[in-house]
Every structure is written in structure tokens, then in C-alpha cells.
Amino acid sequence: MYRDPVQSLEAPSSPSSTAAMRPLRVGMIGIGTVGAGTFRVLARNQAEIAGRAGRGIKMVVVCARSLARAMGVVGKDVALTNDPMQVATHPDVDVLVEAAGGTGPARDWVLAAIRAGKHVVTANKALLAEHGNEIFAAARQHGVAVAYEGAVAVSIPIVKALREGLTANRIEWVAGIINGTTNFILSKMRDEGVGFAEALAQAQALGYAEADPTFDIEGIDAAHKISLLAANAFGMPVRFADAQVEGITALQGLDVACAEQLGFRIKLLGVAKRRKDGDAEGVELRVQPALVPATHLLAHVNGSMNAVMVKGDASGVTMYYGAGAGSEQTASAVIADLVDVARLQGTHAAQRVPHLGFHAHAVNEGLAVLPRAAVHTRHYLRVPVHQAQQIEAVGAWLAAQQVPVLRVELACEKTASAGAGPQVLVLTDAVAQSTVDLAVHALAAHPAVAGPVAALLVEMLEG
């Protein structure tokens, strides 16, 4: 993530001087799932990590609610406290690992550490989505780094890919499955034919979903992540507050089955897409359940796994796949960030990879998030009708409303649930969301229609 120190040609560093370099001293707030995993991996792989970092990385102090439990994880050689600010401002700490989660208190700890001249590593996507612009500005002011690979897609190095591997590109879009809980639920609904409530219960029983799964199933967690990816992709501030967010709680098993009939699968996608209309430019920033072709790579990302695709003008489409959750999976990203911080010794702040991929003077503050009505994509409609013969009336009526219809067919009896009645399935060509919203609203009053119309986006994600 950051550039190694520039070495003098006249006085190259020797192996002995590298080995003698003082270890990077780490203070960590939180010793739960992420914190405990970070400590375990750091201890287990310390030789390999030091070899890559060019110096050791040593945990010196940990903050925890239960000191007894924390000692059971870190042992007696690490100082313990229950005061987060003591860790954030500790004189013997070089970098703060914030592993407690939340937003309000975590913001205060992180800003305190930055003001004290300490680097910060966090996997807290909510913190950065809501307060990232403030935190990154403070870090620039004080000349420290804020690293957060673990905040997006856990072990998948997607932030590094955007900020380093794809820097030659003008990024056109980023899209992916970035919440493991909802992907597990949707996989169960498709594979086992169960409803949303039963699939959620299975996810909770297996530990894939929290007791209160709201952030996951309502799309908020994915919106935090796609907001960070969009900022890195397009050189814009973090715009989480402007994202359009829709979860999967209203999704019916009937639509999962109908999508299969049409050759699609439903996934909860985070999408960030750059759009230009004349001289005006904006970004679609959204999280929504959407149909993807059954032959598409994302359609085969199942269970709790994550995957992100990026379209660059030079690179074409690239894809990144891996675990979407897990203690040591998150630790893998956290420690990779620590290694990058360890390599900063002697490197001026201006030489580092910027927090959001673009240096501050190049960030486009005016790049706006487009409103929902301006989103332009294909659509799926499921229209319940009184009689199967009314399929032609539905298709003709939609075409008259300027909806570009590509395909109209009846849901087969095997697909339609018992007692649901005939269902007309419609696929449209790309069209503005505003046009579809008006048509769906008016269609509900059509005499042929027997109930609420279901509408979902269709994402082709073509190269």
C-alpha cells in the first residue's frame, strides 16, 4: 500500500542493520473476533511477517472490557487496560489497531491517535463510511497513515488492487457481492427453495448472521463498503450518505425461482458506476438485489463468499474472490496493513499511496452521486394477472409507456408457487429507473393485474 523507503545508492542497508531496526509497536483496542485473530496470526507467522516488513511487529498493549479474557488470549507479556484512550495516546505505541467496531467512540479514539502522531489500522467499515472524510483529512494534517484493507471484503485485497494494481486505469465501474450473510441467505433460498425467514434462521444458527442482522439484510453493511470502493475507484470523497440502499427482506422466493426460469440468479450487489451525460458526470452508488445472468462469474459466488469485479478502460474486467467473513481472514488484511505501515520508516508522507487512491489536490469534490431516478439499467418485472391470456396486454401496455421490453413470458407452473396464480415475467432493455417506477405504479391499476408488481434490477456487468 505504501512505498518502501528510498535507499541511498552509496550506502545500501545491510541485513544486520535491517534486523536491528526497532520493531513496529502496536496498540490494539478490542480483543474480540478481529482482535483475537490478529494477535494469533501475528504470533504464529511472526518470522514471515518480519521478513516481509523488514522489521518485527510487536503487540505492546491491548484494551479490552474483560482483562481476564484478554490475558487468556495475549498472555502476560502484553500490557492490558480497559481505557481505550490510554492505548490511543500511549507513548510506546507507533500504530493503533482499532478492532472494537462502532462509530462514535471509535471516531474519538482514532482521531486522538492521529493527533498523537500514530498511524491507524482498522477493519471498521461503518466508521470510515460515516467519518472517513474527517479521519483522512486529520491523518493528512498530521502526516500519518490510515489503512483499512480489512474493512472491505475481508481477506480480498481489493483496496490495494484499486489503489496500486489498477492505477493506470480510468475505472468505469466496480460491482460485487460484498456481504457474506446476505449471499448465504440468497444461496439457501435458491438451492433449497426456502423462504427468506427460514434462510435467515439458518444463517443465524450457523453464526453467519448476528442476532440483530439489520445491517446485513437491509444492505447497510454493503453500502458502507461500496462507498469506500467508489471513493478509491473514482477519486471522490466517501459519499455513503448519498448511496441508494435496498436490502433483501422483501425478496420473495417466487422471484428467486422466476429468475432461474429466465436464466438469472439474484444476488445482493454493491454497484458503483461512473456515468457521463454530455458535459455532466456523476456516479451511480447503490446496493440492491439484482438479477445477474446464470452464466456470469458472480452468479457462481455462493454461501458466505465475496467477490468484486472492476472494469478499467485499459485492464478490462478483473475479478477478486475470497472469504467474506472470519476472524483470521480479517486478520490477514489487518496484518497486511501493519506490514505496509512498518515499511514507512524514512518515507515522506507525500511519497505514500494516498488514503483514497488519489492525492488530496486531485480528489473531485464535485463528483456527485446520481439520484435513484437517474439510474440506468435493465429491469425484471413479475406481474400477477387474472388470466394467462392477458400476457399480451401487459407487454403491449408496458411498450406504450416507453418501457423497452425485450422478453415477456409466463412463469411455468413449476416455478409459480401454489395458489399464486398466473405470473407474467418481463425483462426490459436498459432504461431510466424513473420510467420504470412510473410504469410499475400505473400498471398496478391495470384491470389485467391481480396484485402487487415485483420489480428488480438486472445487471449484465459486461466487459
Side-chain angles (χ1 to χ4, degrees):
M1 180 173 74
Y2 302 101
R3 204 178 82 175
D4 290 333
V6 178
Q7 302 291 341
S8 167
L9 294 177
E10 287 75 23
S13 60
S14 66
S16 59
S17 64
T18 299
M21 188 181 294
R22 178 176 59 76
L24 182 74
R25 299 168 300 179
V26 179
M28 186 162 66
I29 299 174
I31 195 68
T33 301
V34 174
T38 298
F39 185 85
R40 286 195 305 270
V41 175
L42 196 57
R44 185 173 72 231
N45 297 338
Q46 56 180 301
E48 289 87 349
I49 292 167
R52 290 176 171 128
R55 59 196 292 200
I57 299 177
K58 181 181 180 181
M59 192 75 67
V60 296
V61 59
V62 167
C63 175
R65 289 194 183 98
S66 170
L67 299 186
R69 180 186 178 281
M71 183 173 289
V73 177
V74 304
K76 299 180 179 179
D77 294 332
V78 178
L80 297 174
T81 178
N82 54 17
D83 181 359
M85 279 297 181
Q86 185 177 350
V87 178
T89 60
H90 200 292
D92 294 330
V93 165
D94 302 310
V95 55
L96 171 69
V97 172
E98 186 280 304
T103 53
R107 168 188 171 275
D108 296 338
W109 306 330
V110 165
L111 289 175
I114 290 170
R115 287 192 293 268
K118 303 180 190 308
H119 305 294
V120 173
V121 171
T122 181
N124 189 339
K125 78 282 291 185
L127 171 69
L128 296 180
E130 295 185 19
H131 302 294
N133 295 324
E134 176 189 17
I135 289 170
F136 297 139
R140 287 194 299 271
Q141 179 183 352
H142 292 276
V144 298
V146 177
Y148 53 94
E149 186 68 70
V152 183
V154 185
S155 63
I156 303 172
I158 184 60
V159 175
K160 185 179 287 286
L162 286 170
R163 292 198 301 204
E164 297 184 47
L166 296 172
T167 49
N169 290 261
R170 176 181 170 84
I171 303 299
E172 298 178 15
W173 53 259
V174 181
I177 298 164
I178 46 180
N179 181 270
T181 299
T182 50
N183 201 47
F184 177 88
I185 291 170
L186 292 173
S187 297
K188 286 291 180 181
M189 291 177 71
R190 179 179 65 84
D191 295 341
E192 301 179 9
V194 300
F196 168 78
E198 184 176 343
L200 172 59
Q202 290 186 38
Q204 290 173 318
L206 293 171
Y208 290 118
E210 302 286 345
D212 180 0
T214 303
F215 263 45
D216 293 322
I217 62 177
E218 294 293 356
I220 300 168
D221 174 80
H224 288 151
K225 297 170 182 175
I226 197 64
S227 299
L228 292 170
L229 292 180
N232 280 280
F234 307 131
M236 60 189 290
V238 182
R239 302 280 197 207
F240 166 69
D242 297 327
Q244 291 105 49
V245 186
E246 180 185 347
I248 63 171
T249 55
L251 185 66
Q252 297 183 39
L254 176 56
D255 290 305
V256 174
C258 288
E260 289 284 321
Q261 176 183 325
L262 295 171
F264 292 84
R265 293 179 182 173
I266 297 177
K267 297 292 184 180
L268 183 72
L269 296 182
V271 177
K273 187 181 298 183
R274 193 197 301 258
R275 286 255 312 278
K276 192 167 186 178
D277 186 6
D279 294 331
E281 187 175 31
V283 171
E284 293 183 11
L285 183 62
R286 48 192 169 84
V287 171
Q288 294 159 317
L291 280 71
V292 296
T295 55
H296 197 280
L297 287 172
L298 286 181
H300 298 276
V301 177
N302 296 314
S304 63
M305 302 302 285
N306 280 194
V308 181
M309 302 188 81
V310 182
K311 171 71 182 299
D313 68 330
S315 65
V317 176
T318 55
M319 180 174 172
Y320 311 83
Y321 172 89
S327 174
E328 294 200 355
Q329 289 83 352
T330 310
S332 172
V334 169
I335 294 170
D337 282 340
L338 286 173
V339 169
D340 284 332
V341 170
R343 293 168 173 166
L344 292 180
Q345 183 77 18
T347 305
H348 190 276
Q351 296 175 308
R352 303 172 192 162
V353 175
H355 298 111
L356 292 175
F358 288 72
H359 284 282
H361 70 274
V363 171
N364 188 348
E365 298 282 347
L367 189 58
V369 173
L370 297 171
R372 181 181 186 276
V375 170
H376 198 267
T377 187
R378 298 185 183 190
H379 291 262
Y380 153 94
L381 304 177
R382 177 178 53 79
V383 186
V385 293
H386 295 290
Q387 297 178 351
Q389 296 89 328
Q390 292 167 318
I391 180 173
E392 293 184 4
V394 170
W397 191 89
L398 285 170
Q401 303 302 310
Q402 308 304 311
V403 175
V405 175
L406 290 177
R407 181 176 170 188
V408 182
E409 66 184 70
L410 283 173
C412 65
E413 292 183 7
K414 181 179 178 181
T415 298
S417 59
Q423 309 283 319
V424 177
L425 308 181
V426 180
L427 289 177
T428 79
D429 203 349
V431 61
Q433 182 73 55
S434 57
T435 300
V436 174
D437 287 345
L438 288 171
V440 168
H441 179 73
L443 188 59
H446 193 284
V449 176
V453 177
L456 294 169
L457 276 65
V458 178
E459 293 289 353
M460 303 303 290
L461 300 176
E462 297 169 323

